[in-house]
Amino acid sequence: MKKSEAMDLYEGLNEISPQMIEEAGNYKKTASVDIRYKKSNNVKKMLNIKKELLVFFCACLTGVNVRAGYEILIFLRKIIIHNNLVKGIEDLFYWIFMSAYIFSQIYATMYGSIRWYFLLGLVFGVAVIQKLISSGEKIHKKTRKNLEIIRKNR
């Protein structure tokens, strides 16, 4: 470094006031706080995603319960034969009860606000249990048919 460059640097440092140094220190503090805030905000977002997945899972279970409840109602109708008026009244009470149940689940998981992923989970749960029930019925029919063939061949 030449002597003239060193003198320019020294003169530049002399022009820095204590107020400028204090402002630079404050900027450094706020920048570190901003970085910590961004890190904690990312952690909060991750927790929110985990919470939303948990709510989705609870909604799936709610959908399974709704469909399973209707299957129980269908089973009871096969055991005790009713006329159409009684079936209509049963359906009315079933859906009133299930509406209250779904509302209580929404209130318990989302504090009363309806989110799209809750509705998606509800439909997904109903679809999964429906697929399981239809698969079970197909297996039951095939097994029954095979057993009848075995009985005839004896």
Side-chain angles (χ1 to χ4, degrees):
M1 181 182 281
K2 295 181 182 177
K3 187 176 181 181
S4 62
E5 290 174 350
M7 290 299 290
D8 288 340
L9 182 63
Y10 178 75
E11 287 175 3
L13 289 175
N14 282 338
E15 291 177 7
I16 296 175
S17 67
Q19 183 182 13
M20 292 172 78
I21 294 172
E22 185 179 331
E23 287 176 5
N26 288 340
Y27 176 76
K28 182 180 176 184
K29 289 177 186 174
T30 56
S32 66
V33 168
D34 287 344
I35 291 170
R36 276 186 261 136
Y37 174 74
K38 287 179 182 178
K39 286 181 182 177
S40 67
N41 201 16
N42 288 338
V43 170
K44 287 178 184 177
K45 286 180 183 177
M46 289 302 293
L47 290 175
N48 286 339
I49 290 171
K50 288 180 183 178
K51 182 182 176 189
E52 288 173 1
L53 285 173
L54 183 63
V55 169
F56 179 78
F57 181 71
C58 289
C60 289
L61 289 178
T62 301
V64 167
N65 289 336
V66 168
R67 183 64 178 134
Y70 199 73
E71 282 299 315
I72 291 170
L73 185 62
I74 291 171
F75 178 73
L76 291 175
R77 286 182 182 166
K78 288 179 181 178
I79 292 174
I80 305 168
I81 298 174
H82 305 2
N83 63 14
N84 288 337
L85 178 65
V86 175
K87 287 180 184 178
I89 293 170
E90 284 175 349
D91 279 343
L92 179 68
F93 282 118
Y94 171 79
W95 285 111
I96 289 172
F97 174 76
M98 282 301 154
S99 298
Y101 173 68
I102 292 170
F103 176 77
S104 69
Q105 290 300 100
I106 290 173
Y107 190 77
T109 56
M110 296 303 301
Y111 306 108
S113 63
I114 299 174
R115 303 283 184 205
W116 66 268
Y117 50 88
F118 188 90
L119 297 176
L120 183 67
L122 194 64
V123 171
F124 183 73
V126 169
V128 165
I129 194 74
Q130 179 61 35
K131 182 67 175 168
L132 289 173
I133 289 170
S134 65
S135 297
E137 288 174 351
K138 287 178 185 177
I139 291 170
H140 175 68
K141 286 179 183 178
K142 286 181 181 180
T143 306
R144 189 172 184 180
K145 190 181 279 186
N146 290 338
L147 288 174
E148 288 176 3
I149 292 171
I150 291 171
R151 285 184 191 156
K152 288 180 182 179
N153 290 335
R154 281 187 171 181

